[in-house]
Amino acid sequence: MDVNAAVAAAAAIAGVLTGVIAMLAFRWSEREQRRPTRTSLHTDPVLPPGVDTVLSVLRSSAVVLDEADAVVKASSAAYALGLVRGGKLAVEPMLQMARDTRRDGEIRQVELDLPRRGTGRGEALAVSARVAPLGSRLVLLLVEDLTEARRIEAVRRDFVANVSHELKTPVGALSLLSEAVMDASDDPEAVERFAGRMQIEATRLTNLVQELIDLSRVQNDDPLEDAEPVRVDELVAEAVDRCRHQAGTKQITMAAGGTADLRVWGNRGQLAAALGNLVENAVNYSPSRTRVGIAARRVDVPGGDLIEIAVTDQGIGISDKDKERIFERFYRVDPARSRATGGTGLGLAIVKHVVASHGGEITLWSAEGQGSTFTLRLPEAAAAREARDRAQQHPALDEEAGQPVLQPTPYEPLPAPEVLP
């Protein structure tokens, strides 16, 4: 009997212990389920009805804080900007704003510069933060990224300032020259001299206004809306004809060569203007009795062939520090020389925008005292390969256009290493 009693007592004790352990495990499981996680921070039921839906469609980064400054809800953009880390608001000025708003109920707004995460550089994010009470216990923080807007505003400000400065120079010159003509009305030679200067300044002003219009057009228009296969031979011939007079005055030899019958896909007018600007710059910045070369070739790259059009001169060259800014608006390597040649500083900016809008790129090789090579790389027209195959079978006729095949302008070709270093 004693043995049976002992066994029964031991069984009872074991049952009690099992029950206690089960109860503790159940309590621990409930506590773990109540513990907030990063996922639950996004869907906490303490938010007022409809707030979750509204915050999900806002463009701004959104963070909701409770009375203990814990994050109740945070949008994905808030995590991406680094506003929330470890369930807490990581930006101290914003956290202080939230506390002040919770205390007095006033809406607050401030603009801050935040360090950019993961770049290792001194760049900063410009943000606008707005804090408002949400119900009786919660605070809503909305943060908008202003970095790109500030950059665009800075570019616009610089552009307006540069345009004002550039316009003021020829306008002021015209005003002074007109006064000089009036004062020298009894001196025919002086009137003729001043009138000639007025024509130069008027031409410079006209060119500046036209290039501003061209730059605005290439920035706002989609060149591929009116795109067509464009023959590179025709673009080169047009660019050479455009600069033939200036080249002849300086006894500069124009040399064109490379692969014939290449075609690119794009807006013919914009491509002609871009190539013409490059050739005109090469002529203007080259010494007398030198050569300017234009050559085109096909380059095989993954994803489709590219057409390279290189413009090479034997001019003054470009220093390394100027290469980084050469495509900026109104930037001139030599301002005095640019004014002497009538340059506005917009030509290369137009070229860059045209090439980028056509899905291509422009590269520069240059050495001071040795010259420069600007190379346009543009996608080849899709139908160019088929047309080339047909032209090989019928060299006298282009079946697609029903016209004789245009041959490249028979200028003396520039050696390949000079044209395409």
Side-chain angles (χ1 to χ4, degrees):
M1 291 296 293
D2 293 338
V3 174
N4 293 333
V7 171
I13 294 173
V16 171
L17 291 176
T18 301
V20 171
I21 292 173
M23 182 181 64
L24 292 176
F26 177 74
R27 293 287 182 86
W28 180 83
S29 176
E30 282 189 332
R31 185 174 60 181
E32 285 298 313
Q33 290 178 0
R34 293 194 189 102
R35 181 177 296 175
T37 62
R38 177 164 174 165
T39 303
S40 66
L41 291 176
H42 291 266
T43 58
D44 199 299
V46 301
L47 288 176
V51 173
D52 194 7
T53 303
V54 173
L55 296 182
S56 65
V57 299
L58 289 177
R59 296 180 59 184
S60 304
S61 303
V63 180
V64 178
L65 304 176
D66 63 12
E67 62 273 14
D69 293 333
V71 175
V72 176
K73 178 179 176 60
S75 64
S76 300
Y79 283 101
L81 289 178
L83 304 180
V84 178
R85 299 175 191 171
K88 295 290 185 179
L89 185 62
V91 183
E92 184 60 32
M94 296 182 186
L95 186 59
Q96 187 59 47
M97 287 174 57
R99 291 168 179 169
D100 295 340
T101 297
R102 185 184 301 110
R103 184 180 63 252
D104 56 25
E106 292 186 4
I107 298 175
R108 289 174 169 82
Q109 183 168 354
V110 67
E111 292 188 1
L112 300 171
D113 291 332
L114 306 179
R116 191 186 296 268
R117 298 177 60 189
T119 61
R121 295 177 292 180
E123 300 177 354
L125 288 172
V127 299
S128 174
R130 185 178 180 88
V131 180
L134 184 63
S136 58
R137 298 186 302 111
L138 304 180
V139 174
L140 172 63
L141 171 66
L142 296 178
V143 180
E144 185 176 358
D145 188 354
L146 303 178
T147 307
E148 184 65 15
R150 281 194 180 181
R151 187 191 69 80
I152 294 175
E153 178 63 20
V155 171
R156 185 196 64 79
R157 257 194 330 266
D158 292 342
F159 182 71
V160 171
N162 288 332
V163 168
S164 302
H165 175 74
E166 295 296 331
L167 288 175
K168 183 172 65 176
T169 301
V171 169
L174 287 172
S175 177
L176 293 175
L177 288 170
S178 63
E179 293 179 3
V181 168
M182 294 177 64
D183 294 339
S185 58
D186 55 347
D187 186 350
E189 293 183 1
V191 169
E192 183 178 357
R193 184 172 65 255
F194 292 141
R197 290 295 306 276
M198 291 177 69
Q199 284 187 331
I200 294 174
E201 296 298 334
T203 300
R204 178 178 298 169
L205 182 60
T206 302
N207 292 339
L208 176 59
V209 172
Q210 184 59 51
E211 290 201 345
L212 286 172
I213 294 173
D214 293 341
L215 180 60
S216 176
R217 182 179 296 116
V218 300
Q219 286 180 316
N220 297 328
D221 293 349
D222 183 3
L224 300 184
E225 288 184 357
D226 302 322
E228 59 180 339
V230 181
R231 292 179 181 272
V232 176
D233 300 335
E234 296 179 0
L235 296 178
V236 172
E238 185 173 336
V240 170
D241 289 339
R242 170 177 168 176
C243 304
R244 192 183 301 277
H245 176 71
Q246 297 97 308
T249 302
K250 300 174 66 174
Q251 299 181 9
I252 292 177
T253 303
M254 305 287 287
T259 306
D261 200 26
L262 299 177
R263 296 175 186 172
V264 295
W265 183 261
N267 185 294
R268 189 185 189 284
Q270 291 191 13
L271 293 173
L275 184 59
N277 284 344
L278 291 180
V279 176
E280 186 175 7
N281 279 353
V283 172
N284 288 336
Y285 287 92
S286 293
S288 300
R289 299 181 179 86
T290 56
R291 289 200 301 175
V292 170
I294 310 99
R297 69 175 183 178
R298 182 183 298 103
V299 180
D300 295 332
V301 296
D305 293 343
L306 293 177
I307 303 300
E308 283 191 352
I309 309 174
V311 178
T312 301
D313 63 59
Q314 298 172 329
I316 61 176
I318 303 172
S319 65
D320 291 337
K321 66 180 183 66
D322 290 322
K323 290 178 184 177
E324 298 178 359
R325 303 187 58 191
I326 193 66
F327 295 102
E328 293 181 11
R329 302 165 184 168
F330 299 108
Y331 185 78
R332 299 183 178 95
V333 174
D334 184 353
R337 187 180 182 93
S338 296
R339 294 189 184 280
T341 59
T344 63
L346 289 174
L348 291 179
I350 293 175
V351 174
K352 179 181 177 180
H353 281 288
V354 169
V355 175
S357 62
H358 282 75
E361 64 176 352
I362 180 170
T363 59
L364 166 64
W365 174 91
S366 185
E368 292 186 85
Q370 299 182 27
S372 305
T373 296
F374 289 87
T375 304
L376 304 179
R377 303 188 73 186
L378 297 166
E380 184 179 21
R385 187 177 299 276
E386 298 177 4
R388 186 169 64 255
D389 294 340
R390 288 196 300 269
Q392 291 176 354
Q393 298 177 1
H394 305 281
L397 187 68
D398 184 343
E399 294 179 358
E400 181 180 9
Q403 298 292 335
V405 176
L406 294 178
Q407 299 298 325
T409 309
Y411 295 110
E412 178 185 1
L414 204 62
E418 291 188 49
V419 178
L420 296 169

